[in-house]
Amino acid sequence: MTSYIKALVVREAGTAPAVEELRLPEIGPGQVRVRIRAAGVCHSDLSMVNGTLSPPHPLVLGHEAAGEVVEAGTGVTRVRAGSHVALNWSPPCRECWFCTHGEPWLCSTANVAALENGSTLDGAPVHVTLGLGAFAEQVVVPERAVIPVPDELAWESAALLGCAVLTGTGAVRNTARVAEGDSVVVIGLGGVGLSVVAAARAAGAATVIAVDVSEAKKALAEAAGATDFVVSSENLSKDIRSRTDRLGADHAFECVGRAATIRAAWRATRRGGQVTVVGMGRADDMVELSALDIFSSARTLRASVYGSSDPDVEVPALAQDVLSGALKLDHLITDRIPLAGVPAAFERMARGEGARSVVVF
Ligand SMILES: [Zn+2]
Ligand SMILES: [Zn+2]
């Protein structure tokens, strides 16, 4: 049975995304069909359309989503029709070197920019962002790309757990291992950065300095638990030092994905401090550090991919935290929009307004 759905499609590089009708692929063994109920607009979606990344086209955007399983293919055991699920854009295979050495977030089969799945009504094959293409009424994905979540969890919360919240929380807990009493700088206050702020406070950080180019992020940063808010400027490292006993912070999290902000994060940390890059940047944006500085500052620079997490374990745990009230996500959602509202949400994001826009179906 062929299903037709509406989805947000970019026809060619450089053209605006538009809602169009598509043909879903038929469900195969080990696959599930999911009716999407909520999908967050993530910075990586913007990166798919603004030239930061070069995905194939036509392309369905969207990868931070939750929904209800409507059909499960033969051999599917983890969910059935009616199951509530969050989508996983980096589903581990459990067999490759990385998966069998405790690093499923680096699975060699995952993290693909776009896969072919479905077609346009005129028969052209369509690609889906990060194997999902979740700005769509329904998706057909492998069983391992869905994570069951409790029925009581709000769809919008479940959606955010699948990217921004897992990425931000994991960067703090798993990658950087922020400890009680640490000082933390967070540069870039989108959905991921605000999740880093909240997770750092929850981990017991004494000082959490939230940094953004937009003054308008101050209230959001404070709602997430920041102790300080700083508008980014040339004097950022001096400003950070004045708030951290002249030392610089124990940790800096770069949630933008640009060489300039990675350097700013580097300079914001103390000698021996840790810089964690969470933002995804361009291939040709080079970070310049001096050889002497790398040695004498004794800092650590590393990246956090998908929060260095195992989503199958950590998304259900985060869902319980949301249900118990230990993890609050409401402040992250600043706009609820229809599918056709995504391009305007990209513009708000580029202007530095708001936190997460969520498409509600
Ligand atoms: Zn994302
Ligand atoms: Zn693997």
Side-chain angles (χ1 to χ4, degrees):
M1 184 189 72
T2 308
S3 303
Y4 298 90
I5 51 128
K6 288 200 172 62
L8 192 75
V9 181
V10 183
R11 272 286 176 161
E12 282 172 55
T15 62
V19 177
E20 99 169 66
E21 198 164 352
L22 299 177
R23 208 175 276 136
L24 265 189
E26 295 205 12
I27 188 168
Q31 292 186 320
V32 294
R33 187 154 61 89
V34 179
R35 175 178 292 122
I36 302 295
R37 295 301 197 95
V41 182
C42 176
H43 205 274
S44 306
D45 293 306
L46 179 57
S47 297
M48 294 280 172
V49 298
N50 70 3
T52 301
L53 303 172
S54 311
H57 294 88
L59 177 71
V60 183
L61 298 171
H63 62 278
E64 179 183 88
E68 185 181 358
V69 174
V70 286
E71 189 183 0
T74 54
V76 169
T77 55
R78 138 185 315 207
V79 291
R80 55 193 158 77
S83 297
H84 291 202
V85 294
L87 299 190
N88 176 353
W89 55 256
S90 182
C93 73
R94 308 289 176 195
E95 287 171 2
C96 74
W97 189 92
F98 296 97
C99 284
T100 54
H101 289 74
E103 296 182 355
W105 56 92
L106 300 179
C107 175
S108 54
T109 70
N111 291 309
V112 284
L115 287 177
E116 215 174 281
N117 204 14
S119 66
T120 62
L121 293 190
D122 51 33
V126 164
H127 297 83
V128 294
T129 297
L130 292 166
L132 299 177
F135 289 154
E137 291 172 325
Q138 296 191 22
V139 296
V140 171
V141 295
E143 175 183 24
R144 60 195 170 88
V146 301
I147 304 167
V149 292
D151 290 0
E152 324 70 281
L153 187 68
W155 295 116
E156 297 161 11
S157 301
L160 263 55
L161 292 187
C163 187
V165 176
L166 184 64
T167 299
T169 308
V172 170
R173 292 184 187 169
N174 305 332
T175 316
R177 304 189 179 203
V178 170
E180 186 118 20
D182 281 353
S183 53
V184 173
V185 173
V186 184
I187 301 178
L189 303 176
V192 171
L194 291 167
S195 295
V196 169
V197 169
R201 270 322 280 289
T207 308
V208 180
I209 305 166
V211 181
D212 200 275
V213 290
S214 167
E215 173 79 37
K217 298 276 177 148
K218 185 167 192 250
L220 288 167
E222 286 169 355
T227 58
D228 299 62
F229 174 80
V230 176
V231 175
S232 188
S233 74
E234 306 249 297
N235 298 321
L236 181 63
S237 64
K238 221 185 249 175
D239 200 333
I240 302 292
R241 248 156 257 282
S242 75
R243 295 162 195 264
T244 50
D245 297 332
R246 306 242 165 99
L247 290 169
D250 298 310
H251 289 276
F253 292 86
E254 197 274 353
C255 307
V256 180
R258 287 181 54 197
T261 36
I262 292 170
R263 266 192 63 82
W266 177 265
R267 296 180 59 210
T269 53
R270 63 168 169 81
R271 259 191 115 185
Q274 297 185 43
V275 179
T276 305
V277 176
V278 188
M280 179 174 57
R282 299 176 62 98
D284 59 357
D285 192 12
M286 309 306 285
V287 182
E288 195 172 80
L289 298 170
S290 92
L292 178 61
D293 188 14
I294 289 171
F295 174 80
S296 64
S297 76
R299 291 171 176 127
T300 304
L301 173 64
R302 66 178 149 213
S304 179
V305 174
Y306 217 0
S308 309
S309 71
D310 184 336
D312 287 326
V313 176
E314 294 183 42
V315 167
L318 290 168
Q320 289 305 327
D321 289 347
V322 174
L323 292 176
S324 75
L327 176 62
K328 294 191 173 31
L329 303 182
D330 293 345
H331 64 276
L332 285 180
I333 301 168
T334 47
D335 296 275
R336 290 173 174 80
I337 58 173
L339 201 50
V342 173
F346 283 152
E347 286 168 25
R348 284 194 297 278
M349 187 179 268
R351 287 198 301 267
E353 289 171 23
R356 260 309 187 254
S357 299
V358 178
V359 178
V360 181
F361 290 82

